[in-house]
DNA sequence: AATTAAAAGTGTGAAATGGACACTAAGTGA
DNA sequence: TCACTTAGTGTCCATTTCACACTTTTAATT
């Protein structure tokens, strides 16, 4: 069952940079490699694209197979194709980045029992291949995009207090934000709905919980509204 | 000399959306196909990536071969990989977009003598494959990027009057801009150097000519300056 | 030489936005 | 009841944005 072509074809893979947020830490999901090259190194989840699936479907499939994660915000990031990025053969990797609500997804061990774990972005192990570069591009993209698109919510639980949203922004942007100005700005966008609930089991005044109002988002987006922070 | 793999590999191409600007028109460079499928249809220039070159090098090589253009601003756009986008076999296409100074480059006929021509973006023929979608993504990217990065200069001659720069912005953004406000804003960025020259052979008051000051750009960029219009 | 045409070039005031800043309210635990 | 922790709230000043119209310069036409 070999496949033969008149001209050489590179292999094509999809890799995913999956971000999660937990307790003031931005985290990335990594998988430990079992085989050479880079045996035992941590790497981004990913794999070969199948001939009948789209690139995005391939990315979703690989993430589901390797980490069990299925509900996520997914967007194409960049395509990496330096000739020597994989020592075995020419591999073009179409990278996606994803945002998941960490609380909802305790990661399953991969279907093939490889190690899967969340690492804080601020404290990463050495990665396989050019995955450090891919991660770097993903971080810059996330940092840039969160300024003008309301994607931060994808990293938080369904219901969250404003302070948690602010901490998320401060973590990703790596700069402190003024509480009053942040609240004014975010609330004035009209994307947050008050759930009429408050935090439970906190040892201080409980905060109101909000949720992202997706219907409002679509309405405003269609009207050309600007979500710049 | 066939190439054989244990698993099926898609073909990988690079395609280029080359923009030029001329006389208040944004234009795209297209090539007429000679062979089936889509015989005689116009298409984006592009071709197969060679195994030893990077994706960007491949894009530059294809553009040089097919159109003779060598000096250009080039940036990766997006990767298109729907299973059926090419009827012959599975083809993943890494698209780049490019900006060229149209005045400097009268397009050469392709090395293989295919028809090459500039088309106004506002008045395009039907295109081969999914090239209309690729062009659409490129246009949106250009429109978005020109708002916060000074890339418009890449489309103008070395020396240009402010009115021409303004017309370029108005063309790309598809909206009129106020002359005084535009000048104030652009000049205050400190990216334009006065060449001390003025227009020649115009039938009215001649305008000062400016050039893009790349050294200043790099300095300001490093300092984290914001080039939003 | 005077007139017309065409585009260049220039400033102000009003409105909206952005950014700095500090205290009170509410709830828990000791 | 006191101490601690986080929630929640408004004002002022500086800056930016936006709307807006006339004079200058040069060449072409009569």
């Amino acid at each position: 069952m070999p496949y033969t072509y008149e001209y050489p074809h590179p292999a094509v893979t999809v890799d995913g940079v999956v971000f999660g947020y937990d307790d003031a830490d931005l985290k990335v999901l990594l998988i430990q490699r079992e085989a050479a090259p880079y045996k035992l190194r941590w790497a981004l989840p990913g794999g070969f694209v199948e001939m009948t699936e789209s690139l995005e479907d391939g990315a979703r499939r690989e993430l589901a197979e390797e980490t069990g994660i299925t509900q996520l915000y997914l967007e194409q990031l960049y395509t990496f194709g330096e000739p020597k990025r994989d020592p075995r053969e020419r591999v073009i990797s179409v990278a996606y980045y994803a945002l998941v609500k960490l609380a909802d997804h305790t990661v399953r061990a991969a279907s093939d029992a490889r190690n899967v774990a969340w690492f804080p972005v601020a404290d990463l192990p050495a990665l396989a291949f050019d995955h450090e570069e891919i991660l770097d591009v993903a971080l810059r993209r996330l940092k840039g995009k969160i300024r003008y698109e309301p994607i931060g919510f994808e990293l938080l639980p369904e219901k969250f207090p404003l302070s948690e949203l602010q901490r998320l922004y401060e973590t990703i942007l790596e700069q402190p934000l003024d509480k009053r100005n942040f609240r004014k700005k975010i609330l004035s966008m009209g994307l947050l709905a008050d759930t009429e609930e408050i935090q439970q089991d906190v040892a201080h005044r409980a905060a109101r919980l909000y949720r992202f109002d997706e219907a409002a988002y679509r309405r405003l987006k269609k009207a050309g509204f600007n979500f710049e922070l």
Side-chain angles (χ1 to χ4, degrees), chain A:
Chain A
M1 65 190 66
Y3 296 84
T4 301
Y5 306 93
E6 190 173 350
Y7 296 98
H9 283 39
V12 177
T13 63
V14 283
D15 288 321
V17 183
V18 184
F19 290 111
Y21 175 78
D22 180 27
D23 194 31
D25 257 341
L26 186 64
K27 302 191 169 173
V28 188
L29 192 62
L30 299 176
I31 285 203
Q32 195 170 28
R33 289 182 57 80
E34 293 192 301
Y38 297 104
K39 187 171 177 177
L40 299 185
R41 282 264 194 126
W42 291 90
L44 297 172
F48 295 100
V49 178
E50 293 182 359
M51 297 305 271
T52 56
E53 71 191 355
S54 71
L55 296 170
E56 182 172 324
D57 288 347
R60 286 186 193 279
R61 178 184 51 74
E62 288 289 349
L63 291 178
E65 283 176 14
E66 297 192 334
T67 71
I69 289 176
T70 55
Q71 298 286 90
L72 40 69
Y73 171 91
L74 188 69
E75 189 177 298
Q76 191 181 300
L77 175 63
Y78 196 80
T79 297
F80 297 83
E82 290 301 311
K84 295 287 177 202
R85 54 182 295 281
D86 188 310
R88 294 164 296 183
E89 66 171 324
R90 179 75 189 272
V91 178
I92 310 289
S93 176
V94 184
Y96 281 76
Y97 76 100
L99 308 179
V100 311
K101 299 179 197 294
L102 201 40
D104 306 4
H105 293 280
T106 24
V107 291
R108 202 186 58 191
S111 54
D112 52 2
R114 276 187 282 168
N115 268 334
V116 181
W118 290 99
F119 288 82
V121 163
D123 183 21
L124 291 171
L127 300 185
F129 306 107
D130 56 356
H131 289 188
E132 267 152 29
E133 185 191 348
I134 297 178
L135 186 50
D136 203 62
V137 173
L139 270 170
R140 280 208 299 274
R141 179 82 133 255
L142 176 61
K143 218 162 153 173
K145 186 132 188 172
I146 203 175
R147 284 175 187 282
Y148 63 91
E149 284 283 352
I151 56 175
F153 309 105
E154 306 291 340
L155 289 164
L156 292 180
E158 183 77 18
K159 299 168 184 174
F160 52 85
L162 287 185
S163 58
E164 208 174 320
L165 184 63
Q166 183 180 343
R167 259 205 309 281
L168 169 64
Y169 271 78
E170 289 176 330
T171 303
I172 293 177
L173 297 175
E174 295 180 284
Q175 61 171 308
L177 300 171
D178 178 83
K179 179 160 68 160
R180 279 175 291 191
N181 293 338
F182 179 80
R183 287 169 169 250
K184 244 183 301 176
K185 190 82 196 192
I186 284 283
L187 288 174
S188 74
M189 286 183 190
L191 295 175
L192 292 183
D194 190 337
T195 62
E196 315 264 312
E197 291 172 59
I198 58 170
Q199 283 179 311
Q200 301 298 326
D201 304 316
V202 286
H204 53 77
R205 176 175 176 182
R208 306 172 90 84
L209 297 177
Y210 291 85
R211 63 176 178 77
F212 177 53
D213 183 343
E214 201 165 327
Y217 170 55
R218 277 196 290 266
R219 195 173 345 108
L220 290 166
K221 182 163 186 170
K222 191 173 295 180
F225 191 85
N226 188 359
F227 300 104
E228 195 167 329
L229 193 68

